[in-house]
Amino acid sequence: MTLAIGTDTVLVWRKSTFSGANDDCVETAPTAMAVAVRDSKDLTVGNFAVPNHSWARLTEALKR
């Protein structure tokens, strides 16, 4: 499944508070339909989007 995030959508990126001092983490930006994800160490590689319902299931599974 591919999600298109419009070019007019302003993404507000958030870095996890659990990330280390060396920035080994991903950043996320929620939108109305998905959560965009990118590598915080190399912003040139782009990003991908995960549907909101899938992101919620993923984060709940990681909490266990």
Side-chain angles (χ1 to χ4, degrees):
M1 173 182 204
T2 302
L3 294 173
I5 297 176
T7 56
D8 59 339
T9 300
V10 176
L11 297 176
V12 179
W13 295 98
R14 177 189 176 278
K15 190 182 299 186
S16 170
T17 56
F18 293 103
S19 64
N22 58 0
D23 292 333
D24 285 338
C25 69
V26 296
E27 295 176 328
T28 58
T31 69
M33 303 225 9
V35 176
V37 182
R38 71 179 181 184
D39 182 349
S40 65
K41 287 173 58 176
D42 188 358
L43 304 180
T44 64
V45 297
N47 60 67
F48 63 92
V50 178
N52 285 334
H53 66 277
S54 296
W55 185 259
R57 289 185 72 186
L58 171 66
T59 56
E60 282 303 315
L62 292 173
K63 290 178 186 178
R64 295 183 205 148

